[in-house]
Amino acid sequence: MPDPSVSPTLDLQLTWRGTYGRLRVHDHTVRAETSFERDGLTEVPVDRARGWRIEPCDFDAVCVEFVCEDETFRVLLDTRDEQVTRLALERALGAPLPPAS
């Protein structure tokens, strides 16, 4: 877990159609929260994810998917943040999974 006193290298958040998503990247650690497809705000178990990918969600949002053994967590971000998010996640977590479809 990153030291909370150290600023992340990337900190993005989006409130989109009543849902909330936040992604914070530290050198080799990622923390994420989402309320998309959830009953409330949920911390994403990024350390349990077997991989990640970025998929289109709508014309004004992308889904950062963290794929765990038994479920997938989706964090919505602005489409303008897609490239910087991809670069930061590749640096912290390695290459993305192939597209879902």
Side-chain angles (χ1 to χ4, degrees):
M1 177 173 258
D3 180 344
S5 66
V6 176
S7 295
T9 56
L10 180 68
D11 189 349
L12 299 171
Q13 55 189 327
L14 177 68
T15 301
W16 183 82
R17 298 182 188 172
T19 64
Y20 176 79
R22 184 172 189 184
L23 180 74
R24 288 173 283 186
V25 180
H26 296 265
D27 288 329
H28 298 288
T29 306
V30 175
R31 297 194 63 193
E33 299 169 303
T34 187
S35 65
F36 184 63
E37 301 174 328
R38 305 278 162 188
D39 290 333
L41 189 60
T42 302
E43 183 141 349
V44 177
V46 176
D47 57 333
R48 288 192 351 227
R50 62 179 178 86
W52 67 275
R53 65 179 152 245
I54 298 177
E55 298 279 336
C57 184
D58 206 330
F59 71 93
D60 59 349
V62 293
C63 292
V64 180
E65 296 183 342
F66 293 95
V67 181
C68 296
E69 184 79 24
D70 52 348
E71 65 184 311
T72 298
F73 294 83
R74 291 175 180 87
V75 178
L76 299 183
L77 295 175
D78 193 296
T79 55
R80 295 173 293 184
D81 296 326
E82 182 176 0
Q83 292 303 318
V84 70
T85 301
R86 183 179 304 279
L87 291 171
L89 289 175
E90 284 182 9
R91 181 176 174 199
L93 301 175
L97 294 170
S101 47

